[in-house]
Amino acid sequence: MPLVSSKDVLQQARAEGYAVGAFNVFNMESVKAVIAAAERERSPVLIQVWSGLDSFVGLDVLAAIVRCEAEKASVPVVLHLDHGMNAEHAAKGIKNGFTSIMIDGSSLPLEENISVTKEVARIAHAVGIPVEGEIGHVGGEEGGDHQEADDMVETSVEEAVAFYERSGVDTLAVSIGTSHGKYKQEPKLNIGLLRDIAARIPIPLVLHGSSYTPDEMIREVIRYGIAKINVATEMNDAVIAQTTKDITQGLQAKYASDLTYGAYALMADKVGQKMRLFGSSGKA
Ligand code: 13P
């Protein structure tokens, strides 16, 4: 079916108390793996592209692959721009057919974050595209090693309410203790904070930096309003580990694509596990 907007998919998730996975893709194989998992699980899915990939793969290229695969799929697929850093990124996403846009002003002072997010929401809403903003700052770096806590800023409830009321966002990423990349030690999530935010902000809340966060913590945050869960590093690590294992064990490849076939089959399995954990299986 044609790509769908994230708005209905995520509003339904928050209303019904489950979350939809947003999986980062980086090539054709990863797109196919995520969509294969969604079909198997009968789950809606967000496929997200980090804005930084524009300079070496191209937002246009990845968008074309996702659109083509989504049209053949029988489950709803959203094409989401992950961490758009400015209005130009957002405009490029919209031009290339993304059906959901993140503008990440979380490193800016509150007023500047509100101002850039409001401007992107105005442009995106004019063409019917929903927008995710971030308040507080989820630290670390996708794929990164152990840098997590250094640049993290926990969300304040009062700032989150002001941001929600003034920016016009459709979904809101909050910083409650996860971080992008790997953890040095198990994360401590501030569930009380999440509960206070969710009590005052009715839109779907977003968890960034979900890789390697223990399953019981994920179940708990979903109970308190998290309806979109971003996953990147865990899938990237699985593809690297399986490819390395297959090659060192003497995999006989006739075609170059044989080298990574097993790795992307594993990625699809892992995406399916996350969909079952998030409660989105069977919701498509
Ligand atoms: P992880 O790499 O920790 O899964 O975080 C992904 C993410 O939040 C993308 O925006």
Side-chain angles (χ1 to χ4, degrees), residues 6-50:
S6 58
K7 194 160 183 169
D8 295 342
V9 167
L10 296 178
Q11 279 182 347
Q12 183 182 340
R14 174 140 189 201
E16 295 184 13
Y18 63 92
V20 182
F23 300 95
N24 284 75
V25 297
F26 35 91
N27 59 11
M28 179 188 74
E29 289 82 354
S30 55
V31 174
K32 284 181 174 278
V34 175
I35 293 188
E39 292 262 36
R40 277 206 297 258
E41 294 295 326
R42 306 304 309 155
S43 171
V45 69
L46 282 87
I47 294 198
Q48 58 183 14
V49 178
W50 174 50

Side-chain angles (χ1 to χ4, degrees), residues 59 63 79 81 88-99 101:
L59 290 187
L79 173 58
L81 182 71
E88 289 71 39
H89 281 162
K92 194 158 185 185
I94 293 167
K95 181 171 159 252
N96 282 293
F98 282 65
T99 55
I101 298 280

Side-chain angles (χ1 to χ4, degrees), residues 24 48 82-83 142-143 179-181 207-211 230-234:
N24 284 75
Q48 58 183 14
D82 187 31
H83 293 285
E142 278 164 39
S179 62
H180 298 99
L207 190 72
H208 280 245
S210 311
S211 287
N230 291 9
V231 185
T233 305
E234 238 181 280

